């Protein structure tokens, strides 16, 4: 089953191409490969990855530049990382197992290779990326060598070079074959096929193109034209990664979406008791003749867990015989009305002494069923529990009860049966055991003593095969929530209802809030899914530095399915752009086409991070975008077309005067909402929980810092990466120093990936955002962006995207000058060694700055009384420090120093004038006295 489309805004692409070589044969088609691939991947009709998240390395000068680009993309991507190379593939004469990617200056002789990059080098950075999905595309000779083992070939080599969890690698040629660039053809053979199916799509019922679909189509096309056959290697369902929409897909009707407030698939429904929870998940595994082989239960909406020996009994195969994957198993839900039957196929099999468990995949979720929550088994001694099995002559099932003990030597969890209840022996294999105290299934019965007084459970943490039913991380980290994470976005109920109601009633809505407050997440994971559930279509408008008319025209062409060369194409995107920019009335025509295409349903255009366009382009572009949308709204009396945008408060300065959007402000989550946002997502993960007290500890450590929301999500992803089979732990939290330590590690990672011109600016900015506190401490100091040098404002906006600083405005602040920048968390001043060193070195300077700021504020408060200007030693010290470090003085401080200097000079001049005037007067008086005497 294909995955959802990779999130474009949190994915990164690196396109590497070498077409001209010093000693190797030139490959002119590679240049066109790069140009067209970038155009296709940034096309919203294909994928729509923002242009600033695609780095093109055309003729990279050396290995360092390639490594830096891949390292940077690997660090920034949280959803999908795509790395593409086109050029010459080379084999080391001394070790033909290693694949080298040629660079323009590469040389090869009979003994060694010079100036080429070893694929293993790139693989290390690809593996280290926290991106959930990775795609590697190699268009070069011998490219399938990337799939060979690093230690040579042979059966002992079980680890492949491309075997990075969640990675799909497609190579242009077998490991002994050459790739092909046909002279005169625009693209190389492999990339030409790739582009063809990305642009045209693959015929079939799938709305998205998985990597396996792309590979199959490319392989068939290239094989049919006697071109080299590509090879694919993937792990952990990575073949189902989707980085493109299927443009050959024609939907019969809009797909139905679940309502946003559906219960999480692994959470208990409110108002039900444990018996009801179990009733809706319990299954009977049946033989071909309808005999009950044993029990089982739902661990997700369409996955049943049971014992391997139960399935062997049902299939009537010998013990320790593993049926083929995909073998069908009959089952039913005996405690539901009508006892609905279903078929499932084997998806995961473990038949051993330590682990006896099978996962069965249903064809579809059975109405009225839901999975049980799985809970960890730590500290369960003495907990009361219940179970339900099918003993001999009890095919309709029988409830049992008991008391939990602890794990015994084999790792199984012991349960003592209630003496007053039934014997828990044969027929209870595969039955879930519900822990009354924890409110979930603590394990599955896999063995029993002969008399049935004690049974043994496989703990819940061992039930779910992470390779088959791998739970995704429920926390987004520093990225925003996506539309596929509806049930994970919690704590914003009132805000969701308020914004959704506004969008439903208005044609244009702008959600405004400080950086990191969750604007994008609220829209993507809550409001937009609700609109889709109402039958509206949703399409993002990808600006990314593109002129508004161009971006809007491309979006409209995609929504209207206008394609070059199609029969229904009266206006391609270029003509739509001209129409949008024209003075005539085109809104009625476009509006009518929307209604025709959408069968009367409405449509929403989504514009995210509008403040970025105020940085990339002239801020007038934002006003122009709203003016263009106004033309479409003019004829929209039925409110069928809408635009929803998100941005920081500075975009309010650039809204149009006529028909501005309805503005909805979003504040950071309060403590109660933030705790819900922390704890609720983990409830969707089977058998995993927080250790007691950990959420409260995280909240306390985060404090009231302006950037605490993103910071906490970042900490949660680190906890997830270091989780035990049953819990997110205090030990993991302590290992990197809690919230403060995690943030400091993140800050250093961001710093190491900065462009060459930024480190010094970052130092200046962060030092400016602090002031000395008591003793050796430093505290945060919010600063108006108007006080910063222009280059530091640009740096502040860059660091805001990395969540190191927060940009906001005070309540009521409407002017551009009101914008404030501050450190996301004061912990950086204590825990980040680099910043600590900067602050210590600048302490004397910062003390002087604070004194200067205090004196200047006193001068302002006293109506600029000259008596409060600098003078004497203070003025001399100011001039000395200004000469030593002029860049660290703000414009207001510089003005104060200069005014003080001018005033001091005027006073000195006045004193000199007064002295000489007095001297002249005294001389004249003396002369007069002398004359009288004479």
């Amino acid at each position: 089953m294909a995955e959802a489309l990779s999130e474009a805004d949190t994915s990164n692409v690196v396109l590497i191409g070498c077409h001209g070589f010093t000693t190797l044969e030139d490959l002119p088609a590679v240049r066109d490969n790069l140009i067209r691939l970038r155009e296709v991947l940034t096309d919203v009709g294909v994928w729509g990855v923002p242009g600033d998240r695609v780095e093109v390395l055309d003729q990279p000068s050396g290995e360092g530049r390639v490594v830096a680009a891949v390292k940077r993309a690997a660090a920034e991507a949280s959803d999908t990382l795509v790395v593409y190379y086109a050029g010459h593939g080379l084999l080391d004469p001394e070790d033909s197992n290693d694949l080298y990617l040629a660079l323009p200056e590469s040389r090869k002789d009979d003994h060694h290779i010079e100036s080429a990059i070893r694929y293993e080098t790139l693989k290390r950075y690809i593996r280290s990326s926290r991106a959930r999905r990775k795609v590697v595309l190699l268009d070069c000779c011998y490219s399938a060598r990337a799939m060979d083992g690093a230690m040579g070939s042979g059966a002992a080599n079980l680890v492949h070079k491309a075997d990075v969890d969640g990675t799909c690698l497609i190579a242009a040629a077998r490991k002994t074959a050459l790739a092909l660039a046909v002279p005169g053809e625009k693209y190389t053979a492999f990339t030409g096929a790739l582009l063809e199916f990305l642009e045209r799509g693959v015929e079939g019922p799938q709305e998205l193109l998985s990597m396996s679909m792309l590979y199959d189509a490319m392989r068939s096309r290239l094989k049919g034209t006697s071109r080299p056959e590509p090879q694919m290697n993937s792990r952990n369902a990575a073949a189902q990664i989707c980085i493109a929409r299927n443009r050959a897909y024609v939907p019969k009707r809009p797909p139905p979406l679940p309502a946003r407030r559906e219960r999480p698939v692994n959470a208990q429904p409110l108002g039900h008791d444990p018996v009801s929870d179990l009733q809706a998940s319990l299954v009977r595994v049946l033989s071909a003749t309808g005999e009950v082989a044993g029990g089982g239960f739902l661990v997700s909406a369409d996955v049943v867990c049971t014992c391997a020996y139960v399935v062997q009994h049902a299939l009537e195969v010998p013990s320790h015989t593993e049926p083929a994957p995909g073998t069908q198993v009959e089952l039913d839900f005996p405690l539901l009305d009508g006892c609905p039957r279903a078929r499932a196929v084997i998806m995961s099999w473990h038949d051993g002494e330590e682990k006896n468990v099978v996962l069965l995949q249903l064809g579809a979720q059975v109405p009225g069923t839901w999975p049980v929550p799985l809970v960890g088994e730590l500290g369960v001694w003495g907990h009361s529990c219940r179970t339900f099995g099918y003993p001999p002559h009890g095919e309709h099932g029988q409830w049992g009860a008991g008391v939990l003990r602890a794990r015994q030597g084999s790792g199984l969890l012991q349960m003592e049966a209630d003496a007053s209840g039934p014997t828990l022996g044969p027929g209870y294999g595969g039955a879930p055991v519900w822990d009354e105290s924890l409110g979930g299934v603590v394990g599955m019965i896999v063995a029993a003593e002969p008399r049935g007084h004690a049974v043994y459970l496989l703990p819940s943490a061992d039930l779910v095969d992470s390779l088959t039913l791998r739970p995704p991380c429920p926390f987004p980290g520093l990225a925003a929530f996506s539309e596929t994470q509806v049930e994970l976005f919690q704590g914003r109920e009132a805000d969701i209802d308020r914004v959704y109601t506004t969008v439903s009633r208005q044609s244009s809505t702008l959600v405004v809030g400080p950086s990191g407050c969750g604007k994008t997440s609220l829209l993507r994971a809550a409001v937009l899914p609700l609109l889709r559930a109402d039958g509206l279509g949703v399409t993002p408008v990808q600006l990314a530095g593109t002129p508004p008319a161009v971006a809007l025209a491309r979006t409209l062409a995609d929504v209207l399915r206008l394609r070059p060369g199609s029969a229904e194409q009266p206006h391609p995107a270029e003509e739509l752009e001209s129409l949008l920019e024209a003075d005539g009335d085109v809104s009625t025509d476009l509006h009518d086409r929307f209604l025709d295409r959408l069968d009367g349903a409405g449509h929403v255009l989504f514009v995210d991070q509008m403040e970025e366009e105020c940085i990339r382009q002239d801020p007038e572009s934002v006003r122009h975008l709203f003016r263009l949308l106004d033309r479409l709204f003019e004829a929209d009396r039925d409110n069928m077309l809408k635009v929803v945008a998100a941005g920081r408060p500075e975009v309010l300065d650039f809204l149009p005067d006529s028909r501005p959007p309805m503005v909805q402000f979003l504040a950071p989550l309060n403590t109660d909402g933030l705790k819900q946002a922390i704890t609720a997502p983990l409830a969707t993960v089977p058998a995993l929980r927080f250790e007691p007290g950990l959420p409260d500890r995280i909240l306390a450590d985060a404090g009231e810092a302006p950037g605490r929301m993103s910071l906490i999500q970042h900490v949660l992803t680190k906890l997830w990466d270091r989780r035990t089979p049953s819990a997110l732990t205090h030990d993991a939290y302590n290992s990197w120093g809690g919230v403060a330590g995690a943030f400091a590690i993140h800050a250093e990672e961001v710093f190491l990936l900065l462009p060459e011109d930024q480190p010094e600016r970052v130092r200046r900015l962060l030092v400016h955002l602090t002031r000395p506190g008591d003793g050796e401490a430093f505290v945060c100091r919010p600063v108006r962006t108007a006080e910063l040098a222009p280059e530091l404002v640009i740096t502040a906006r860059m660091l805001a995207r990395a969540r190191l600083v927060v940009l906001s405005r005070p309540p009521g602040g409407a002017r551009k000058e009101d914008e404030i920048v501050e450190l996301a968390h004061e912990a950086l001043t204590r825990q980040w060694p680099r910043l600590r060193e900067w602050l210590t070195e600048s302490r004397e300077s910062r003390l002087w700055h604070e004194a200067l700021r205090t004196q200047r504020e006193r001068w302002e408060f006293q109506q600029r009384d000259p008596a409060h200007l600098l003078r004497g030693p203070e003025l001399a010290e100011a001039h000395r420090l200004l000469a030593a470090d002029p860049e660290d003085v703000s414009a207001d401080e510089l003005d104060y120093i200069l005014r003080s200097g001018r005033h001091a000079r005027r006073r000195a001049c006045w004193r000199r004038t007064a002295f000489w005037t007095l001297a002249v007067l005294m001389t004249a008086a003396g002369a007069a006295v002398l004359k009288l005497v004479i």
Side-chain angles (χ1 to χ4, degrees), residues 156-222:
N157 177 25
L158 302 178
V159 181
H160 294 278
K161 286 187 176 183
D163 277 358
V164 180
D165 279 357
T167 297
C168 178
L169 186 151
I170 302 181
R174 298 179 184 276
K175 59 186 179 182
T176 58
L178 302 177
L180 186 63
V182 180
E185 291 192 3
K186 187 173 180 62
Y187 309 114
T188 59
F190 173 83
T191 302
L194 173 66
L195 288 168
E196 175 187 352
F197 294 111
L198 285 175
E199 294 181 77
R200 194 189 73 185
V202 177
E203 296 293 336
Q206 291 80 14
E207 186 175 1
L208 302 175
L209 281 179
S210 67
M211 299 309 299
S212 63
M213 288 175 62
L214 269 175
Y215 168 72
D216 290 342
M218 292 167 60
R219 183 171 180 272
S220 177
R221 172 56 49 84
L222 292 169

Side-chain angles (χ1 to χ4, degrees), residues 197-450:
F197 294 111
L198 285 175
E199 294 181 77
R200 194 189 73 185
V202 177
E203 296 293 336
Q206 291 80 14
E207 186 175 1
L208 302 175
L209 281 179
S210 67
M211 299 309 299
S212 63
M213 288 175 62
L214 269 175
Y215 168 72
D216 290 342
M218 292 167 60
R219 183 171 180 272
S220 177
R221 172 56 49 84
L222 292 169
K223 184 177 181 180
T225 55
S226 300
R227 305 288 175 92
E229 291 184 34
Q231 307 292 303
M232 185 173 78
N233 189 4
S234 61
R235 287 190 70 193
N236 294 347
Q240 302 309 314
I241 295 172
C242 298
I243 61 170
R245 298 174 176 87
N246 186 3
R247 300 181 95 161
Y249 168 72
V250 179
K252 296 180 179 179
R253 58 183 178 82
L257 288 176
R260 177 187 60 83
R261 293 295 99 183
E262 275 195 355
R263 52 181 296 283
V265 295
N266 284 298
Q268 301 175 59
L270 296 177
H272 285 71
D273 60 25
V275 176
S276 298
D277 291 335
L278 283 172
Q279 285 177 339
S281 70
L282 291 171
V283 303
R284 287 186 301 191
V285 180
L286 308 173
S287 69
T289 59
E291 178 188 356
V292 177
F297 55 102
L298 288 171
V299 291
S300 74
D302 59 353
V303 176
V304 172
C305 181
T306 186
C307 292
Y309 60 76
V310 170
V311 175
Q312 289 164 340
H313 182 190
L315 297 177
E316 298 180 351
V317 298
S319 61
H320 301 296
T321 299
E322 180 177 346
T327 300
Q328 288 193 345
V329 179
E330 296 283 339
L331 51 84
D332 66 10
F333 292 82
L335 302 186
L336 295 185
D337 291 341
C339 193
R341 294 189 64 150
R343 286 184 176 180
V345 296
I346 297 172
M347 62 183 299
S348 173
W349 184 275
H350 294 277
D351 179 14
E353 293 182 2
E354 295 184 355
K355 188 171 183 178
N356 191 290
V357 60
V358 172
L359 298 180
L360 306 174
Q361 175 84 57
L362 294 169
Q365 183 174 1
V366 177
T369 65
W370 59 72
V372 291
L374 303 181
V375 296
E377 86 285 359
L378 296 178
V380 296
W381 184 281
H383 287 193
S384 297
C385 57
R386 69 181 72 193
T387 187
F388 188 84
Y390 309 94
H393 312 295
E395 62 179 17
H396 298 295
Q398 193 171 33
W399 288 99
V403 177
L404 292 170
R405 295 310 179 195
R407 287 202 189 209
Q408 38 92 280
S410 67
L412 298 179
L413 184 64
Q414 183 175 332
M415 169 188 168
E416 293 183 2
D418 188 338
S420 63
T423 299
L424 303 182
Y428 282 86
V433 175
W434 181 278
D435 185 310
E436 305 282 11
S437 300
L438 297 179
V441 168
V442 73
M444 176 180 70
I445 296 177
V446 295
E449 290 184 351

